[in-house]
PDB file of all heavy atoms in Angstrom:
ATOM      1  N   VAL X 119      -2.104   3.082  -6.996  1.00 90.00           N
ATOM      2  CA  VAL X 119      -2.180   4.251  -7.958  1.00 90.00           C
ATOM      3  C   VAL X 119      -1.148   4.028  -9.068  1.00 90.00           C
ATOM      4  O   VAL X 119      -1.393   4.283 -10.290  1.00 90.00           O
ATOM      5  CB  VAL X 119      -1.943   5.547  -7.244  1.00 90.00           C
ATOM      6  CG1 VAL X 119      -1.761   6.720  -8.160  1.00 90.00           C
ATOM      7  CG2 VAL X 119      -3.060   5.854  -6.313  1.00 90.00           C
ATOM      8  N   LEU X 120      -0.028   3.555  -8.717  1.00 90.00           N
ATOM      9  CA  LEU X 120       0.985   3.295  -9.717  1.00 90.00           C
ATOM     10  C   LEU X 120       0.623   2.249 -10.793  1.00 90.00           C
ATOM     11  O   LEU X 120       0.690   2.467 -11.989  1.00 90.00           O
ATOM     12  CB  LEU X 120       2.344   2.822  -9.070  1.00 90.00           C
ATOM     13  CG  LEU X 120       3.450   2.207 -10.060  1.00 90.00           C
ATOM     14  CD1 LEU X 120       3.994   3.396 -10.764  1.00 90.00           C
ATOM     15  CD2 LEU X 120       4.411   1.372  -9.340  1.00 90.00           C
ATOM     16  N   HIS X 121       0.046   1.201 -10.160  1.00 89.00           N
ATOM     17  CA  HIS X 121      -0.470   0.109 -11.143  1.00 89.00           C
ATOM     18  C   HIS X 121      -1.528   0.694 -12.103  1.00 89.00           C
ATOM     19  O   HIS X 121      -1.621   0.329 -13.198  1.00 89.00           O
ATOM     20  CB  HIS X 121      -0.999  -1.044 -10.314  1.00 89.00           C
ATOM     21  CG  HIS X 121      -1.088  -2.302 -11.057  1.00 89.00           C
ATOM     22  ND1 HIS X 121      -2.299  -2.666 -11.697  1.00 89.00           N
ATOM     23  CD2 HIS X 121      -0.242  -3.254 -11.377  1.00 89.00           C
ATOM     24  CE1 HIS X 121      -2.061  -3.756 -12.326  1.00 89.00           C
ATOM     25  NE2 HIS X 121      -0.855  -4.220 -12.139  1.00 89.00           N
ATOM     26  N   ALA X 122      -2.472   1.547 -11.509  1.00 90.00           N
ATOM     27  CA  ALA X 122      -3.427   2.100 -12.358  1.00 90.00           C
ATOM     28  C   ALA X 122      -2.952   3.031 -13.434  1.00 90.00           C
ATOM     29  O   ALA X 122      -3.401   3.023 -14.617  1.00 90.00           O
ATOM     30  CB  ALA X 122      -4.503   2.958 -11.540  1.00 90.00           C
ATOM     31  N   ARG X 123      -1.960   3.911 -13.025  1.00 89.00           N
ATOM     32  CA  ARG X 123      -1.270   4.688 -14.025  1.00 89.00           C
ATOM     33  C   ARG X 123      -0.573   3.911 -15.145  1.00 89.00           C
ATOM     34  O   ARG X 123      -0.559   4.231 -16.361  1.00 89.00           O
ATOM     35  CB  ARG X 123      -0.313   5.603 -13.387  1.00 89.00           C
ATOM     36  CG  ARG X 123      -0.873   6.640 -12.418  1.00 89.00           C
ATOM     37  CD  ARG X 123      -1.461   7.811 -13.118  1.00 89.00           C
ATOM     38  NE  ARG X 123      -1.972   8.874 -12.115  1.00 89.00           N
ATOM     39  CZ  ARG X 123      -1.219   9.906 -11.825  1.00 89.00           C
ATOM     40  NH1 ARG X 123      -0.038  10.038 -12.181  1.00 89.00           N
ATOM     41  NH2 ARG X 123      -1.762  10.746 -10.981  1.00 89.00           N
ATOM     42  N   LEU X 124       0.100   2.825 -14.743  1.00 89.00           N
ATOM     43  CA  LEU X 124       0.768   1.966 -15.640  1.00 89.00           C
ATOM     44  C   LEU X 124      -0.208   1.332 -16.666  1.00 89.00           C
ATOM     45  O   LEU X 124      -0.010   1.308 -17.800  1.00 89.00           O
ATOM     46  CB  LEU X 124       1.544   0.889 -14.863  1.00 89.00           C
ATOM     47  CG  LEU X 124       2.382  -0.062 -15.816  1.00 89.00           C
ATOM     48  CD1 LEU X 124       3.396   0.747 -16.633  1.00 89.00           C
ATOM     49  CD2 LEU X 124       3.187  -0.986 -14.774  1.00 89.00           C
ATOM     50  N   ARG X 125      -1.369   0.830 -16.066  1.00 88.00           N
ATOM     51  CA  ARG X 125      -2.324   0.207 -17.064  1.00 88.00           C
ATOM     52  C   ARG X 125      -2.851   1.253 -17.966  1.00 88.00           C
ATOM     53  O   ARG X 125      -3.063   0.957 -19.177  1.00 88.00           O
ATOM     54  CB  ARG X 125      -3.531  -0.328 -16.129  1.00 88.00           C
ATOM     55  CG  ARG X 125      -3.186  -1.558 -15.307  1.00 88.00           C
ATOM     56  CD  ARG X 125      -4.415  -2.249 -14.833  1.00 88.00           C
ATOM     57  NE  ARG X 125      -5.407  -1.359 -14.217  1.00 88.00           N
ATOM     58  CZ  ARG X 125      -5.379  -1.147 -12.893  1.00 88.00           C
ATOM     59  NH1 ARG X 125      -4.548  -1.727 -12.062  1.00 88.00           N
ATOM     60  NH2 ARG X 125      -6.382  -0.311 -12.326  1.00 88.00           N
ATOM     61  N   ALA X 126      -3.047   2.531 -17.604  1.00 87.00           N
ATOM     62  CA  ALA X 126      -3.469   3.521 -18.474  1.00 87.00           C
ATOM     63  C   ALA X 126      -2.496   3.835 -19.579  1.00 87.00           C
ATOM     64  O   ALA X 126      -2.923   3.961 -20.706  1.00 87.00           O
ATOM     65  CB  ALA X 126      -3.818   4.915 -17.676  1.00 87.00           C
ATOM     66  N   LEU X 127      -1.202   3.828 -19.219  1.00 84.00           N
ATOM     67  CA  LEU X 127      -0.224   4.030 -20.223  1.00 84.00           C
ATOM     68  C   LEU X 127      -0.141   2.870 -21.257  1.00 84.00           C
ATOM     69  O   LEU X 127       0.007   3.037 -22.487  1.00 84.00           O
ATOM     70  CB  LEU X 127       1.177   4.144 -19.590  1.00 84.00           C
ATOM     71  CG  LEU X 127       1.600   5.492 -18.938  1.00 84.00           C
ATOM     72  CD1 LEU X 127       2.995   5.332 -18.506  1.00 84.00           C
ATOM     73  CD2 LEU X 127       1.410   6.600 -19.931  1.00 84.00           C
ATOM     74  N   LEU X 128      -0.313   1.663 -20.751  1.00 85.00           N
ATOM     75  CA  LEU X 128      -0.259   0.435 -21.648  1.00 85.00           C
ATOM     76  C   LEU X 128      -1.575   0.492 -22.528  1.00 85.00           C
ATOM     77  O   LEU X 128      -1.420   0.063 -23.677  1.00 85.00           O
ATOM     78  CB  LEU X 128      -0.194  -0.767 -20.778  1.00 85.00           C
ATOM     79  CG  LEU X 128       1.081  -0.922 -20.051  1.00 85.00           C
ATOM     80  CD1 LEU X 128       1.082  -2.066 -19.046  1.00 85.00           C
ATOM     81  CD2 LEU X 128       2.328  -1.025 -20.984  1.00 85.00           C
TER      82      LEU X 128
END
Side-chain angles (χ1 to χ4, degrees):
V119 172
L120 171 73
H121 198 268
R123 293 285 187 90
L124 182 56
R125 289 198 307 270
L127 279 185
L128 294 172

